[in-house]
Amino acid sequence: MASFDPNAAAPADSGVFGLPFTPEEAKVVLVPVPFEATTSYGGGTADGPEAIFEASKQVDLFDLDTGRPYEPGISMLPMPGDVRAWNDEAKRLAAPIVESGGLEVDPVALGKVNALSEQMNDWVYQTTKHWLEAGKIVGVVGGDHSTPFGCIKAYAEKYPNLGVLHLDAHADLRDAYEGFTWSHASIMFNVMKHVPGVKKLVQVGIRDFGEAEYSMIRESDGRIHTFFDARLSRARLDGMPWREQVDSIVGELPQHVYLSWDIDGLEPTLCPNTGTPVPGGLTFAQAVALLEGLVRAGKKIVGFDLNEVSPGASGGDWDGNVGARLLYKMIGWTLMSQGLSKR
């Protein structure tokens, strides 16, 4: 690795967060997945990984909470051209189905979209598995929220009885939304159905969901525990400190925790260009305090994904800026939980 000054401005040709690490040198390897084939409202999340990458170079590397998370090394893999090509083809085929709200379905087009999504899932799975076997901490940077399925699958194989902490505005428990088996609105349905190694799904910030999703939560025999945003907010209005709420949330999780975070779990002011914003949600400080609560409770954060960051049609940098800073916090607390970073 070349000499590196964490206080200097990031060179234009530097890596993520302005760092010089290669994936082989870094402890944390980020997998960009520019895929949003089934986006059902606003688009642009396929540009999220690039937006986060560019904004990350403006993030100060010393962190008050987690010290110097850059020291073990963070690297992002190159933007995968194949995945972007699959996305572009799948989006074209999916567009008429999405525009009809799933009412007008071309079976051939639908089959091709599902096949391309499966191809993306396998690519993410194989890529994650490769770097896990190399001893890395792997994080997916989406793309829409369908993108981390393969990553969660790989982690659940490595860590049986895995807990998933899911921050989102949406429950994502829809069965083949609009006919798309691997819809962004179906990620947690698919995880619950196809990844038995996930012992517990704990959801936070959920405020937009259907009756069938609510029934799935209630009938899960405790495998899914959802902290609905309305109830969390009401409890805080009645005087319950966020710290106590965090302790309740964290208490539902097993020892090994995977973070699956959709940026729209935050307040919409922090992600105005995300595809499906919903009023309510966590502040940035509350999200960070939730990460801190995991470490305070002695949980081990083993991996993570961050999705649905969109720079918007205007190409503004606010969403990428927030996404990059949240990603750095996620990395820092992951390393802290594993004893690889200190305040």
Side-chain angles (χ1 to χ4, degrees):
M1 185 185 70
S3 61
F4 171 64
D5 180 0
N7 298 308
D13 60 350
S14 60
V16 69
F17 298 108
L19 298 171
F21 300 97
T22 67
E24 290 76 16
E25 294 168 334
K27 180 61 179 177
V28 179
V29 174
L30 302 175
V31 182
V33 190
F35 193 91
E36 58 168 356
T38 63
T39 300
S40 53
Y41 190 59
T45 63
D47 297 322
E50 185 69 39
I52 288 174
F53 177 83
E54 292 301 330
S56 73
K57 298 181 183 184
Q58 302 302 315
V59 175
D60 280 319
L61 295 176
F62 178 76
D63 185 79
L64 183 62
D65 292 324
T66 62
R68 300 174 180 85
Y70 63 87
E71 287 186 336
I74 306 168
S75 182
M76 181 181 281
L77 299 178
M79 297 294 162
D82 287 349
V83 175
R84 188 62 191 241
W86 302 338
N87 170 75
D88 294 347
E89 182 181 359
K91 276 198 78 169
R92 178 182 61 80
L93 293 166
I97 300 171
V98 172
E99 289 170 6
S100 73
L103 298 177
E104 298 179 11
V105 177
D106 176 349
V108 174
L110 180 62
K112 289 182 178 178
V113 173
N114 286 334
L116 287 163
S117 296
E118 288 177 7
Q119 203 168 341
M120 180 273 295
N121 286 343
D122 186 63
W123 180 87
V124 172
Y125 169 74
Q126 296 295 344
T127 303
T128 301
K129 187 174 181 180
H130 167 78
W131 290 108
L132 284 177
E133 290 174 350
K136 310 299 183 179
I137 297 169
V138 183
V140 159
V141 182
D144 71 27
H145 208 168
S146 72
T147 58
F149 176 82
C151 186
I152 297 171
K153 178 182 174 182
Y155 267 102
E157 290 176 355
K158 183 175 176 64
Y159 298 97
N161 300 319
L162 184 68
V164 174
L165 178 59
H166 173 210
L167 173 67
D168 206 320
H170 311 85
D172 287 352
L173 292 168
R174 298 177 186 267
D175 183 0
Y177 185 61
E178 295 183 337
F180 301 115
T181 302
W182 302 103
S183 168
H184 67 103
S186 303
I187 176 66
M188 293 307 162
F189 177 90
N190 288 324
V191 167
M192 293 291 96
K193 181 177 180 180
H194 299 293
V195 188
V198 172
K199 177 182 180 180
K200 189 75 173 279
L201 171 64
V202 175
Q203 303 181 300
V204 180
I206 309 302
R207 52 198 188 274
D208 198 11
F209 52 93
E211 189 171 357
E213 293 176 285
Y214 187 57
S215 295
M216 183 175 177
I217 293 166
R218 296 184 67 184
E219 295 167 8
S220 70
D221 294 324
R223 191 177 175 213
I224 306 172
H225 191 122
T226 303
F227 289 85
F228 295 101
D229 189 65
R231 293 176 181 171
L232 289 171
S233 298
R234 190 174 301 123
R236 289 198 300 277
L237 288 171
D238 289 341
M240 185 176 188
W242 178 237
R243 184 186 177 99
E244 288 185 22
Q245 293 186 313
V246 166
D247 290 344
S248 296
I249 294 165
V250 171
E252 292 292 330
L253 287 159
Q255 180 61 26
H256 293 131
V257 178
Y258 176 96
L259 309 173
S260 189
W261 284 25
D262 184 329
I263 199 77
D264 70 25
L266 303 181
E267 294 178 334
T269 53
L270 296 168
C271 49
N273 290 303
T274 194
T276 48
V278 183
L282 273 60
T283 67
F284 193 90
Q286 287 170 333
V288 173
L290 180 55
L291 295 171
E292 191 273 338
L294 288 166
V295 177
R296 185 173 67 247
K299 307 293 184 180
K300 182 178 180 180
I301 306 171
V302 295
F304 55 88
D305 61 69
L306 179 63
N307 304 280
E308 304 284 354
V309 172
S310 172
S314 64
D317 59 3
W318 175 243
D319 294 75
N321 187 320
V322 173
R325 292 172 187 279
L326 183 59
L327 181 63
Y328 198 60
K329 290 287 189 180
M330 294 170 78
I331 293 168
W333 284 110
T334 297
L335 292 167
M336 283 274 288
S337 77
Q338 299 191 27
L340 298 173
S341 183
K342 297 180 180 179
R343 301 186 222 220

